């Protein structure tokens, strides 16, 4: 590595380290507050530790690409403003050689991102859901957030708008514990406790529909004690698409392909079944492609950030930050827009999501020759 390349790469690494630490701190503040709340509420330290271990690595898929983008824009805009870029050109130094090592570093960060997105993050999703499914209600409610449908218990789905201790407010429960009867229970508030494997709900201003198999009508009461039998009974954990790691995804895609091929060759399988098979395969493929697109952000951000930083030619860091914000927003907006099309398998959203990467390569192809 030549002296000038070492100088540029050293400045890039120091800026990246600082940006990475700051962004990691900012993006984990909410998680740290949540963990402190669990400790203060008496949650076992072992459970808190497991929750933290699976939650912190997930932030790397965001902080690493953004830190690379910020450092590439700020370092090269400073060098351009201090006429260092002009001096390199005057000395006949090819700027591609100066850009080489930051790009190599970004490429290895993308490879690390592929590993994180396909192995660490899915494992984190799986462990978090498994923890919610295995712990008791007294412990489990501490890691269940209001405002989300909770389907981690084997025989019920739960939703609540707010929580104070074991008091739940604006409660909605779908109970599947009775064969052939699915009950919907609503209550203004409820005190939750456990009795063995049963969940006890002390409901206030409640409704239940239907009451039971013999009384298929809605019932109301100001206060009612309701039990969900065997709600905490351990069951085999069923993985979701986000929980699947690299080779598990490939195996599941192959199983979908064989099922679709079999369905197309059979007149006994209904068209609706074939449709849902194709849609489920499309959703899985989009999830799989998303992991690679988000990992490629590290390389794409540096590839675009360096020529944009040179072009800025301003010392103010606010200009560099504005450029970094615009690039990152554009990249992730394109990816998220394509993610929203995951059910429309006819337009191949698993391929369209790569438009974010393609747009970055096209932009870099136009900017880099102008700044050499």
């Amino acid at each position: 590595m030549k002296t000038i390349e070492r100088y540029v790469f050293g400045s890039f690494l120091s800026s990246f380290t600082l940006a990475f630490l700051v962004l990691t701190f900012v993006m984990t503040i909410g998680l740290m507050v949540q963990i402190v709340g669990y400790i203060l509420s008496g949650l076992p330290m072992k459970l808190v530790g497991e929750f933290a271990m699976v939650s912190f690595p997930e932030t790397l898929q965001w902080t690493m690409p953004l830190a690379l983008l910020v450092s590439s824009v700020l370092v090269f805009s400073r060098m351009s403003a201090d006429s260092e870029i002009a001096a390199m050109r005057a000395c006949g130094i090819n700027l591609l050689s100066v850009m080489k090592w930051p790009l190599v570093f970004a490429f290895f960060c993308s490879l690390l991102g592929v590993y994180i997105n396909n192995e660490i993050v899915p494992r984190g999703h799986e462990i978090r859901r498994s923890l919610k499914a295995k712990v008791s209600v007294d412990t489990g409610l501490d890691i269940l957030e209001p405002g989300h449908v909770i389907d981690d218990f084997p025989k019920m789905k739960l939703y609540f708008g707010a929580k104070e201790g074991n008091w739940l407010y604006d409660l909605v429960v779908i109970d599947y514990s009775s064969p052939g009867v699915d009950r919907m229970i609503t209550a203004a508030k409820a005190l939750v406790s456990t009795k063995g494997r049963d969940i006890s709900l002390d409901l206030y201003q409640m409704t239940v529909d239907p009451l039971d198999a013999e009384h298929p009508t809605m019932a109301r009461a100001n206060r009612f004690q309701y039990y969900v039998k065997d709600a905490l009974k351990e069951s085999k954990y069923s993985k979701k698409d986000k929980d699947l790691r690299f080779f598990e995804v490939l195996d599941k895609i192959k199983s979908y392909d064989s099922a679709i091929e079999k369905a197309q060759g059979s007149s006994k399988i209904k068209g609706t079944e074939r449709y849902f098979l194709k849609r489920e395969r499309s959703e899985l493929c989009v999830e799989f492609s998303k992991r690679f697109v988000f990992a490629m952000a590290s390389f794409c951000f540096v590839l675009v950030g360096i020529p944009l930083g040179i072009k800025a030619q301003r010392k103010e860091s606010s200009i560099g930050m504005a450029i970094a914000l615009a690039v990152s927003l554009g990249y992730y907006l394109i990816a998220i827009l394509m993610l929203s099309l995951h059910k429309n398998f006819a337009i191949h959203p698993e391929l369209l999501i790569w438009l974010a990467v393609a747009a970055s390569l096209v932009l870099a192809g136009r900017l880099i020759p102008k700044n050499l």
Side-chain angles (χ1 to χ4, degrees):
M1 186 185 295
K2 297 178 181 179
T3 302
I4 191 68
E5 294 175 1
R6 191 183 306 113
Y7 164 72
V8 174
F9 188 50
S11 300
F12 177 83
L13 276 184
S14 59
S15 179
F16 166 76
T17 302
L18 180 60
F20 178 77
L21 292 175
V22 171
L23 288 170
T24 300
F25 175 75
V26 170
M27 296 191 72
T28 56
I29 280 181
L31 179 60
M32 289 188 288
V33 170
Q34 193 176 11
I35 290 173
V36 171
Y38 295 158
I39 295 173
L40 295 178
S41 64
L43 199 66
M45 289 302 299
K46 180 181 178 181
L47 187 60
V48 173
E50 290 179 356
F51 179 78
M53 288 296 292
V54 302
S55 298
F56 278 116
E58 294 184 22
T59 61
L60 293 177
Q61 62 179 317
W62 306 104
T63 55
M64 194 162 54
L66 292 175
L68 286 167
L69 175 60
V70 169
S71 58
S72 60
V73 171
L74 291 183
V75 167
F76 282 87
S77 64
R78 179 193 61 78
M79 292 174 61
S80 179
D82 292 343
S83 300
E84 293 180 0
I85 298 294
M88 292 178 195
R89 289 181 178 135
C91 293
I93 296 174
N94 190 341
L95 291 184
L96 287 177
S97 63
V98 175
M99 296 168 56
K100 176 177 65 178
W101 290 108
L103 287 173
V104 170
F105 180 75
F107 177 75
F108 280 105
C109 286
S110 288
L111 293 181
L112 177 61
V114 170
Y115 176 77
I116 290 172
N117 293 348
N118 282 285
E119 298 295 330
I120 297 179
V121 173
R123 179 61 176 162
H125 286 306
E126 180 184 356
I127 291 177
R128 187 182 295 108
R129 292 194 179 103
S130 297
L131 286 174
K132 292 178 183 179
K134 291 178 180 177
V135 296
S136 67
V137 169
D138 292 334
T139 302
L141 287 177
D142 289 327
I143 61 173
L144 301 179
E145 298 180 357
H148 302 279
V149 176
I150 300 159
D151 57 359
D152 301 289
F153 299 113
K155 294 190 177 182
M156 65 182 294
K157 289 186 179 181
L158 184 71
Y159 174 90
F160 53 93
K163 171 171 64 76
E164 292 181 6
N166 275 11
W167 281 98
L168 308 181
Y169 297 89
D170 300 325
L171 176 70
V172 179
V173 176
I174 307 296
D175 173 19
Y176 304 104
S177 60
S178 298
V181 178
D182 297 340
R183 297 183 180 88
M184 186 171 110
I185 306 162
T186 63
K189 63 178 182 178
L191 179 62
V192 185
S193 59
T194 58
K195 290 190 176 182
R197 295 185 182 274
D198 301 340
I199 292 179
S200 173
L201 300 172
D202 191 5
L203 305 169
Y204 293 81
Q205 300 177 13
M206 62 81 66
T207 65
V208 55
D209 185 21
L211 183 60
D212 53 41
E214 297 179 358
H215 304 85
T217 57
M218 179 185 290
R220 300 176 184 270
N222 290 327
R223 184 176 180 181
F224 186 79
Q225 195 78 22
Y226 193 85
Y227 295 94
V228 182
K229 299 293 184 181
D230 290 331
L232 298 177
K233 185 176 180 180
E234 290 189 9
S235 60
K236 186 177 180 181
Y237 180 75
S238 178
K239 289 186 177 181
K240 300 181 180 179
D241 288 350
K242 290 184 178 181
D243 307 331
L244 300 176
R245 285 177 275 185
F246 182 82
F247 291 106
E248 293 174 330
V249 173
L250 293 180
D251 290 339
K252 194 168 183 179
I253 290 175
K254 289 180 181 178
S255 66
Y256 275 129
D257 289 338
S258 60
I260 292 171
E261 184 178 354
K262 182 179 178 181
Q264 289 175 341
S266 175
S267 59
K268 295 181 180 180
I269 299 178
K270 297 180 180 179
T272 54
E273 294 181 19
R274 289 193 290 268
Y275 169 80
F276 282 111
L277 280 172
K278 291 181 179 180
R279 195 178 77 173
E280 289 171 4
R281 183 190 183 280
S282 174
E283 292 175 359
L284 180 60
C285 290
V286 171
E287 167 64 25
F288 195 42
S289 295
K290 181 199 75 173
R291 299 176 184 181
F292 288 90
V293 170
F294 281 15
M296 283 295 297
S298 296
F299 183 77
C300 291
F301 284 176
V302 174
L303 194 64
V304 174
I306 290 176
L308 284 176
I310 296 174
K311 192 176 181 63
Q313 296 182 352
R314 294 285 299 274
K315 286 188 177 181
E316 291 84 350
S317 60
S318 58
I319 300 297
M321 294 301 294
I323 293 173
L325 181 62
V327 171
S328 59
L329 278 178
Y331 188 93
Y332 287 122
L333 280 176
I334 293 174
I336 291 171
L337 178 62
M338 297 303 107
L339 282 174
S340 65
L341 303 174
H342 65 279
K343 293 183 179 180
N344 300 322
F345 57 85
I347 61 175
H348 296 286
E350 72 276 7
L351 300 179
L352 289 178
I353 194 173
W354 287 90
L355 284 176
V357 176
S360 299
L361 295 177
V362 170
L363 181 60
R366 293 180 63 87
L367 290 174
I368 290 176
K370 293 181 179 180
N371 291 277
L372 293 180

